[in-house]
């Protein structure tokens, strides 16, 4: 398979408060699986991670002064340049961490418009699993981000596997892979890269090349039928459809 030279830039935003944190662990899993899905055909993937806890004072100052520090301005430029954002936050009191909301608040809302975003969240128990849908998705929907359909929530119990073989059997690993595959597909479509499809030849698309040749009997029937009104030019008789089944 031909490798694609364009590099995809994935930026993970983790707002975990501790070191190490389950939020950072989930962000790492999500970016790792995204990179694997994108790199399956040889495409280069560049992954960067920002720990918001390291910018807590910068975020506070930016909210008070409306001017980001030099350090925070560099992060803003990373977001601007990224092809996709993997945003992961712990859930506190049925909402995202304050650091996460501050990070969103200091940005120009136009920066998020049409930006592919894969959402993730962590919490102590699965009782907070709906927080992504009722707290995070509406926020990024308002910002007009291009959200990946599948998001990933992880409770403390989801991190129980201690070997790669066990991790493959965990529901969390399945959810992460599905979400990562959706983000990879979204990015390929944006770049015009048809996953698993070869280049079109002789002016024909890949779908046209793969289409089976029409049956001789179908051709004869089509010739015998009177010309249809242009509105119904694509009409196919039921008998002909049944023979194709």
């Amino acid at each position: 398979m031909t490798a694609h030279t364009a590099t995809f830039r994935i930026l993970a935003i983790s707002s975990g408060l501790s070191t190490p944190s389950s939020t950072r662990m989930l962000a790492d899993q999500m970016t790792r699986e995204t990179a694997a899905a994108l790199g399956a055909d040889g495409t280069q993937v560049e992954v960067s991670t920002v720990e918001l806890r390291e910018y807590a004072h910068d975020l506070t100052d930016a909210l008070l002064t409306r001017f980001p520090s030099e350090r925070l301005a560099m992060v803003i430029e990373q977001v601007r340049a990224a092809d996709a954002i993997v945003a992961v936050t712990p859930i506190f009191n049925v909402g995202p961490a304050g650091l996460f909301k501050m990070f969103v608040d200091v940005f120009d809302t136009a920066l998020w418009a049409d930006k592919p975003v894969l959402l993730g969240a962590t919490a102590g128990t699965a009782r907070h699993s709906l927080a992504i849908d009722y707290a995070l998705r509406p926020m990024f929907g308002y910002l007009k981000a291009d959200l990946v359909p599948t998001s990933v929530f992880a409770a403390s119990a989801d991190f129980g596997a201690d070997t790669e073989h066990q991790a493959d059997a965990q529901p969390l690993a399945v959810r992460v892979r599905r979400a990562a595959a959706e983000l990879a597909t979204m990015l390929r479509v944006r770049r015009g890269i048809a996953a698993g499809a070869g280049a079109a030849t002789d002016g024909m698309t890949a779908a046209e090349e793969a289409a089976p040749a029409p049956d001789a009997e179908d051709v004869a029937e089509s010739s015998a039928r009177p010309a249809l009104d242009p509105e119904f030019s694509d009409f196919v008789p039921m008998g002909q459809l049944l023979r194709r089944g």
Side-chain angles (χ1 to χ4, degrees):
M1 185 176 296
T2 303
H4 301 284
T5 58
T7 299
F8 285 106
R9 290 167 292 189
I10 310 298
L11 178 65
I13 303 295
S14 171
S15 57
L17 302 182
S18 60
T19 304
S21 72
S22 59
T23 302
R24 175 60 188 268
M25 290 169 59
L26 179 58
D28 288 346
Q29 287 188 36
M30 294 167 72
T31 54
R32 183 170 60 248
E33 291 296 339
T34 301
L38 285 171
D41 62 354
T43 300
Q44 295 298 311
V45 184
E46 177 185 304
V47 176
S48 303
T49 303
V50 171
E51 289 269 15
L52 293 187
R53 64 187 298 275
E54 299 175 0
Y55 297 87
H57 294 291
D58 301 86
L59 290 169
T60 301
D61 291 343
L63 284 175
L64 295 175
T65 66
R66 306 309 300 175
F67 292 100
S69 65
E70 184 177 346
R71 295 176 70 243
L72 187 58
M74 293 176 63
V75 175
I76 293 174
E77 287 306 311
Q78 281 183 278
V79 173
R80 191 188 311 276
D83 293 299
I85 304 295
V86 175
V88 188
T89 178
I91 300 299
F92 298 132
N93 299 323
V94 306
L99 274 178
F100 187 85
K101 185 60 167 63
M102 289 169 64
F103 179 72
V104 173
D105 288 344
V106 301
F107 277 36
D108 181 352
T109 56
L111 190 63
W112 294 103
D114 204 36
K115 178 76 69 175
V117 176
L118 172 55
L119 294 173
T122 60
T125 72
R127 289 193 295 272
H128 297 290
S129 60
L130 292 178
I132 293 179
D133 291 326
Y134 63 67
L136 297 181
R137 282 190 177 275
M139 179 168 62
F140 282 94
Y142 170 79
L143 296 172
K144 297 181 174 59
D146 192 1
L147 290 170
V148 176
T150 297
S151 53
V152 183
F153 175 85
S156 298
D158 287 314
F159 295 98
D162 57 8
T163 71
E164 188 65 27
H165 176 71
Q166 289 175 322
D168 285 342
Q170 296 296 311
L172 175 60
V174 175
R175 298 197 302 272
V176 169
R177 281 195 290 267
R178 180 170 63 241
E182 290 176 5
L183 176 55
T185 299
M186 179 185 294
L187 291 175
R188 284 197 180 98
V189 169
R190 283 169 166 260
R191 287 269 181 97
I193 301 172
T201 59
D202 296 329
M204 297 177 62
T205 66
E208 289 170 335
E209 288 185 323
D215 185 79
E217 186 177 349
D218 292 341
V219 173
E221 277 192 23
S222 298
S223 302
R225 287 199 303 268
L228 296 174
D229 186 272
E231 183 179 356
F232 305 101
S233 60
D234 59 347
F235 173 78
V236 179
M238 180 59 70
Q240 185 173 330
L241 288 174
L242 290 175
R243 284 202 303 276
R244 293 178 180 176

